[in-house]
Amino acid sequence: MLGKNIPTLLAAGTFALSIASTFAAWNIANQEAVRLGEAEFRFEVRQAIRRIEQRMTTYEGAARSAQAFLLGSVTVKREDFSLFVASLRLQEKFPGIQGIALVELVPPQRMADHVASMRRHGFTDYKITPAGERQVYSSITQIEPFTGLNLRALGFDMLSEPTRRAAMERARDTGLAAASGKVRLIQENGKDVQSGLVMYLPVYQRGMQTATVAQRRDSLIGWIGAPFRMNDLMAGLGGERSGDVTLSIYDGTAVSEEARSYSTQLTGLSRVSPPRFRTLQNISVAGRPWTLDIQSSQAFEQRLATDRPQLIAIIGSALSIMISLLVWLLASGRRRALSLATQMTHQLSESEFRWKYALEGAGDGVWDWHISTGEVIYSEQWKTMLGYQDKEIGNSFSEWERRLHPEDKAATDALVRSYLESTAGFLQAEFRMRCKDGSWKWIMTRATAVSRDANGKPLRIIGTHTDISRSKNDEWALREANAQLRDERHRVEVILEHSHDAFIAVLPNGRIRDWNAKAEQLFGWAADEAIGQDLATMIIPEQFRSRHNAGFTRFVETRKAAGNVVEVEALHRTGRWVSVELAFAGVPEGSDYVVTAFIRDISERKTAQLRDAERSEALEEARNALHHAQKLEAIGKLTGGVAHDFNNVLQVVTGNLALLQMHVRDNAGMQKRLDSMKGAVQRGAKLSSQLLAFARRQPLQPVAVNVERLLRNMEELLQRALGETVALTIFCEGELWNTQVDPGQFENLILNLAINARDAMPAGGELSISMKNVTLDENEARKLLGIVESDYIFISIADTGAGMSPEVLAQAFEPFFTTKPVGQGTGLGLSMAYGMVKQSSGHIEISSELGIGTTVMIYLPRTHQLANSAPPPVVASGAGGTETILVVEDDEEVRLSVVANLSELGYRVLHAADGESGLQILKDGPRIDLLFTDVVMPGSVTGPELAVQAKLVQPNLAILFTSGYTRDALTTDGRLQEGVQLLSKPYDQKQLAQRVRQVLAA
């Protein structure tokens, strides 16, 4: 019984083993298909994440460029901001971004001024919304492009909404870009509403410190805001393979309907069956966590579907049955078994080669080429792969050849011919074949020769066709992604290359990585010369390099990316320094940390600031000088008026003293007392003269003189005044030009300055007087105040005395100010010098230092007239005469004393108290020989007007003026008018007699 069942048992065992092997092969093929699907899905997931991160990084770069454009200020001109944003070409290059907004921080106390300012700029309905009292406000003051839905955003307070506020505060505290959570954009108008988000970058006030969180909060003045609509932002993100996966984006780490901000299922890409592959991925976008729910699509799963496991199962099952039958037949009958075995062996031998590759490459097409007959057997899968039915393709080589792509045909034919002529063991090629529907598929063929001739050349070749279109598409997608990445980089490079600022990127080791055209222009180094070089060596002045390197290293190690704006001095290629404004930030880039910097040349601004500072300083100096001059002018007017009245008083005293001396000639004691009184009057007259000189009211009689010759003539006088303990040196540089001054007044000025120097050197010293010609330009003349650019004589009087303190120096020219003990000086020497020089259109100033000495510097204008060498006028006799003199004087006491003195001298004297009375006497009275009139008189007819009228009445009339203070009535620029004869008060009888005789004789 057992013997009869042995064939059946052997066949059953063989069948069981074959089925088990078939199941194992099927399981392996199935797992391989799943593994390939998972790998393909993971690739799609990586691509999706990379595209999202790449797009958001690129968009962050656009917002960061706007942050750098502001350079620490929110007061940028609206037209400048609009032009800058337009240059970014947002709608074309950055789909999904609604615009770039400038958000200004507005404290409550500035609210009214802020609103008023915006309305003055044309936004008459501007207000901050929503209304209500808050601790601090923000407002969108500018947004570009300022069109469409963006018009609704102006004035919106983003801090009033918690989600936006959280992102704004995170950007403020970190200095980094910060994305908000899911929000509804203010631009939405109810149509096609989409979820949104806003990306913020902080704007810190220029020049403020931002190293710590507290400093960043104190420095904050606003934000750059970039609003995004999620559907628009994600549009076109997947490229040609966008249908392979479905994507849902959830704000935060939780997956919920409320948190969902984007889904391809909401944009029309949906499915009805559960996905085969799915993953949840967490990413961070500008500091905000996103959860990505990525699922495989039906199209993706259909593309990955393969019948390889089923084919293996079918073939394995068929082989199992055949092998089991063979075993049964062998066991059932030897003769029949041997015959059948022979036949089956032949068939198995035939099928071994034919299906060996089919088993290894199940799911791919198989072909079997008999070289000698030209017959090629194509498997059903081979035909199905190209979209054909089994009977639509014959068994000839031309069926394959005519479906090759024309661009691949020559290379593929050459490869096949080469294989046929060789003994190579393996053939592999890639090419495109045309499908039935006209499309093209990429095919990879792998084949080997299963029989060869005596020379080793192939007689029969079996191979497979594998559809590699998917991998080729993946390869193209990768190339496209890399191309997009290159385009994005190129776009950023174009933006940077055309930036108004220099842009530099530096690696952590301090080497330069990027260097734009503006950097070439600013620093003088070409990009190929700068890239790879050490930044500090290239553009940091040597004395600042160690500090720069320490700060740079600390910045890279701490990775604090808070932006900052500083003003520094940089180095040009030529070695000159360039003032620049630097806005820098640290940007993570892979494993590196790149430091980027926008650099703006502020040399012109610095120069303008310096000019402004110099102008302000000059203005302040001019203001002080003007104040000082006005002070001296006011004092001068006061002293001039005092001198006038004082001279009239002295004149009364002088005239009466002269009369008294004539009446008591024989009384020696009385004469002595009168001489003492006369000396006191002379001192008073000198004091009055000095006051008038300071007030620039003293009539001068300037002539062209050579100062060097004048001082050489005074050298002996000066040495006597200085004494033996003071050495005098007079030096002239070159041939000195002439100047126009009153010689007597100038000599008096030099003598007074020499005496002041002597008193400052009680123990002796040196007085140096030097002279030279100078030409002052406009700037030099402006600094000296009161003179114009021209040629001048420069005179320096320097001593080695005690010097003056700054407080003393500030009051040196003020009248009656002196540091000498009481009784040793009047305090009018320098005041008189000041008035005389100013009245001569010159300038005088003092430089002094305690313990070093004092230098008085005088500038007198050059004259081209020859120096006056005429002999001094002959002094007339002091005798009287018998001529008729008309005395016109408003002061009765002065008039009576003058009349008495002239009468004592023998003259016939008529007198009047004012100009009108004097003119009437001239018209009605006898012939007058001399009109002796005061200059300043009350009434409608002054002294000079009386003289003009008198000449009309009596043309040959001699005229002599007298005054204690002319008030410029007889002077032009302080100089006595030509032909005018003036006797200044007070004068004695002798001076009166001499001038009367002199005028009558003329």
Side-chain angles (χ1 to χ4, degrees), residues 350 354 366-370 375-378 450 460-463:
E350 290 279 337
R354 182 171 298 177
V366 179
W367 53 270
D368 185 353
W369 185 15
H370 294 263
E375 181 186 23
V376 181
I377 299 174
Y378 303 104
V450 297
R460 182 181 173 194
I461 303 173
I462 295 178

Side-chain angles (χ1 to χ4, degrees), residues 468-483:
I468 60 171
S469 301
R470 182 175 58 198
S471 60
K472 281 291 185 180
N473 290 336
D474 291 343
E475 180 182 339
W476 292 336
L478 183 60
R479 289 177 182 173
E480 181 183 356
N482 291 333

Side-chain angles (χ1 to χ4, degrees), residues 79-91 100 144-145:
E79 55 270 23
D80 292 344
F81 188 68
S82 176
L83 288 173
F84 170 77
V85 175
S87 71
L88 298 179
R89 300 161 66 188
L90 297 181
Q91 301 302 318
I100 294 181
E144 294 295 338

Side-chain angles (χ1 to χ4, degrees), residues 554-870:
R554 184 169 58 254
F555 184 79
V556 171
E557 289 176 350
T558 58
R559 295 205 169 190
K560 292 183 179 178
N564 202 355
V565 179
V566 295
E567 293 183 2
V568 296
E569 295 295 331
L571 193 65
H572 189 268
R573 182 173 190 167
T574 60
R576 64 180 175 86
W577 284 17
V578 182
S579 296
V580 298
E581 191 171 59
L582 173 68
F584 63 92
V587 179
E589 188 171 290
S591 60
D592 286 337
Y593 188 72
V594 180
V595 178
T596 62
F598 284 89
I599 305 174
R600 179 171 296 177
D601 185 357
I602 59 172
S603 300
E604 292 185 3
R605 190 174 80 194
K606 280 288 187 181
T607 302
Q609 290 174 347
L610 181 60
R611 282 199 301 266
D612 290 343
E614 291 176 348
R615 190 179 298 112
S616 298
E617 183 179 356
L619 183 61
E620 184 62 25
E621 291 176 357
R623 187 180 293 112
N624 292 335
L626 178 61
H627 175 71
H628 186 64
Q630 289 174 336
K631 178 181 177 181
L632 295 180
E633 182 73 18
I635 296 173
K637 290 181 179 180
L638 175 62
T639 55
V642 170
H644 175 265
D645 295 339
F646 189 42
N647 281 336
N648 280 342
V649 172
L650 291 176
Q651 183 58 54
V652 173
V653 176
T654 301
N656 286 298
L657 283 175
L659 294 174
L660 285 172
Q661 282 182 323
M662 294 176 63
H663 287 93
V664 293
R665 288 192 181 97
D666 299 331
N667 189 335
M670 185 61 70
Q671 284 289 348
K672 184 176 181 181
R673 288 185 175 86
L674 293 175
D675 287 339
S676 177
M677 294 172 65
K678 189 174 182 180
V681 170
Q682 290 174 347
R683 288 195 298 275
K686 181 179 179 182
L687 177 63
S688 178
S689 176
Q690 290 175 328
L691 287 172
L692 287 173
F694 162 71
R696 289 174 277 171
R697 300 297 187 269
Q698 180 169 265
L700 300 179
Q701 297 184 16
V703 295
V705 298
N706 186 281
V707 171
E708 181 186 9
R709 288 199 293 269
L710 197 64
L711 291 177
R712 296 293 183 190
N713 293 335
M714 290 181 65
E715 188 169 6
E716 184 177 351
L717 173 63
L718 291 173
Q719 190 62 69
R720 284 200 306 271
L722 292 170
E724 297 179 356
T725 60
V726 178
L728 173 65
T729 302
I730 298 178
F731 171 75
C732 182
E733 182 181 319
E735 184 177 352
L736 200 67
W737 293 327
N738 294 334
T739 187
Q740 200 166 35
V741 294
D742 188 315
Q745 294 293 334
F746 183 76
E747 289 175 350
N748 196 20
L749 177 150
I750 296 296
L751 184 60
N752 278 332
L753 293 178
I755 292 173
N756 282 347
R758 178 201 66 192
D759 294 342
M761 299 181 287
E766 183 178 350
L767 178 66
S768 300
I769 303 177
S770 61
M771 298 156 282
K772 65 178 179 179
N773 302 325
V774 296
T775 299
L776 301 180
D777 59 25
E778 183 179 0
N779 291 331
E780 293 170 328
R782 188 186 302 116
K783 292 178 182 178
L784 297 179
L785 193 66
I787 59 177
V788 297
E789 55 178 319
S790 186
D791 296 332
Y792 289 88
I793 312 300
F794 175 73
I795 307 160
S796 170
I797 302 99
D799 65 53
T800 58
M804 305 182 201
S805 67
E807 295 76 17
V808 171
L809 187 61
Q811 304 178 71
F813 288 127
E814 295 183 8
F816 304 112
F817 176 79
T818 180
T819 58
K820 298 176 183 177
V822 178
Q824 294 188 19
T826 62
L828 288 170
L830 286 175
S831 302
M832 183 198 72
Y834 175 86
M836 182 265 170
V837 172
K838 288 295 184 181
Q839 199 169 354
S840 300
S841 302
H843 177 77
I844 182 171
E845 62 184 19
I846 302 175
S847 172
S848 185
E849 188 174 349
L850 285 173
I852 302 299
T854 300
T855 301
V856 179
M857 294 162 284
I858 299 173
Y859 295 83
L860 293 172
R862 176 188 183 182
T863 181
H864 293 279
Q865 297 179 15
L866 298 176
N868 186 9
S869 58

Side-chain angles (χ1 to χ4, degrees), residues 900-937:
N901 275 280
L902 288 174
S903 298
E904 287 289 336
L905 292 171
Y907 294 104
R908 179 171 177 251
V909 182
L910 303 176
H911 60 91
D914 53 47
E916 292 92 335
S917 303
L919 184 59
Q920 194 61 44
I921 293 174
L922 284 167
K923 292 179 178 179
D924 300 339
R927 179 180 177 275
I928 306 297
D929 297 296
L930 174 67
L931 171 63
F932 186 41
T933 178
D934 192 9
V935 176
V936 180
M937 293 186 296

Side-chain angles (χ1 to χ4, degrees), residues 469-544:
S469 301
R470 182 175 58 198
S471 60
K472 281 291 185 180
N473 290 336
D474 291 343
E475 180 182 339
W476 292 336
L478 183 60
R479 289 177 182 173
E480 181 183 356
N482 291 333
Q484 289 178 351
L485 186 60
R486 287 194 299 271
D487 291 343
E488 293 289 348
R489 182 173 178 82
H490 177 68
R491 180 158 52 249
V492 173
E493 288 176 352
V494 169
I495 292 173
L496 295 177
E497 282 298 311
H498 292 83
S499 171
H500 295 298
D501 300 328
F503 174 79
I504 299 176
V506 186
L507 297 172
N509 62 2
R511 298 287 175 178
I512 298 170
R513 196 193 72 174
D514 291 314
W515 183 274
N516 72 349
K518 190 65 177 182
E520 293 182 346
Q521 178 183 347
L522 181 58
F523 298 111
W525 297 96
D528 57 353
E529 296 175 310
I531 293 175
Q533 300 299 318
D534 182 67
L535 175 70
T537 305
M538 292 286 291
I539 69 170
I540 303 299
E542 185 173 359
Q543 54 267 49
F544 302 143

